[in-house]
Amino acid sequence: MKTLLFLLLALPALAKEGPTKRSCRLLFFNPPPGAPKEIYLYDGVETRKVELPSMNLSDVYPISGEAPAVRMLIAPVENPEEIPAGAPTALLSETVRDFFIVVSVDPTNKILPLRMQIIDAGGPSFGKGRMMWFNLTEDAVAGTLGKRALQLKPNSRVIIEPPAVGAEAFPVELFYQVPGGKPQPISRTQWMHDPRSRMLMFVHGGENGVAPQVSGFKDFRIEEKKKE
């Protein structure tokens, strides 16, 4: 999971002007057996219980618009003085309004053995219909996604433009290449494009000569109707 931490820290800030309110969704990617299913998230104003799903993104949770950071806790608190020193913490840029929290294991944290990283979901670079790919392996990954080409160096990430126009199927062909080896297939299939949603995509596994796996997580939001 160190690779995932590096890739998330390397993400550029995707600024977006908007209202002071914030929102987030959580994902516990590839959790070990016995990992917690829910924790408490403290944003400096309120503590709320949140789910830590691994097969999909969580519900959308509101976050204080002025929060400089969010913290994960094993129990709710009423004021900052009750927060245990060393509780998992992620800083929030002032420009970040809508974001994902990707949770991973951190055995060095004695308070709660988890860490979280922030992915800005509100900027124009990661708009609806686009895909953000993370290659968590030591292999190069390449292929085609509909009308888009995918090139992923080992331990890298990239944002791909929409692979199709509307809600339609598009062909997918993916390969991986170990250092010094020849390209080997990962998948040749079809996926459905949803122009209303963002997609978080992870290439992971691939140890001991086994082909890497691809996991995708859809971020679909029901739009609020504007008041006339």
Side-chain angles (χ1 to χ4, degrees), residues 72 74 84-88 106-114:
M72 290 194 297
I74 58 176
D106 181 8
T108 65
N109 193 308
K110 305 303 180 183
I111 303 301
L112 183 60
L114 302 174

Side-chain angles (χ1 to χ4, degrees), residues 42-57:
Y42 179 71
D43 64 8
V45 176
E46 184 178 350
T47 304
R48 58 179 51 83
K49 183 185 290 186
V50 298
E51 296 180 348
L52 295 179
S54 60
M55 302 300 292
N56 53 268
L57 294 168

Side-chain angles (χ1 to χ4, degrees), residues 71-113:
R71 293 176 172 84
M72 290 194 297
L73 307 171
I74 58 176
V77 298
E78 295 183 359
N79 61 71
E81 296 179 356
E82 300 177 15
I83 298 175
T89 301
L91 299 179
L92 292 175
S93 167
E94 292 182 358
T95 62
V96 174
R97 295 299 170 190
D98 178 23
F99 57 96
F100 304 110
I101 299 177
V102 178
V103 178
S104 56
V105 174
D106 181 8
T108 65
N109 193 308
K110 305 303 180 183
I111 303 301
L112 183 60

Side-chain angles (χ1 to χ4, degrees), residues 5 9 29 34 41 50 56 60 70 86 90 94 100 112 126 142 163 172 183 191 225:
L5 173 63
L9 288 175
F29 181 71
L41 197 65
V50 298
N56 53 268
V60 179
V70 288
E94 292 182 358
F100 304 110
L112 183 60
F126 191 26
V172 175
W191 292 347
K225 293 183 179 181

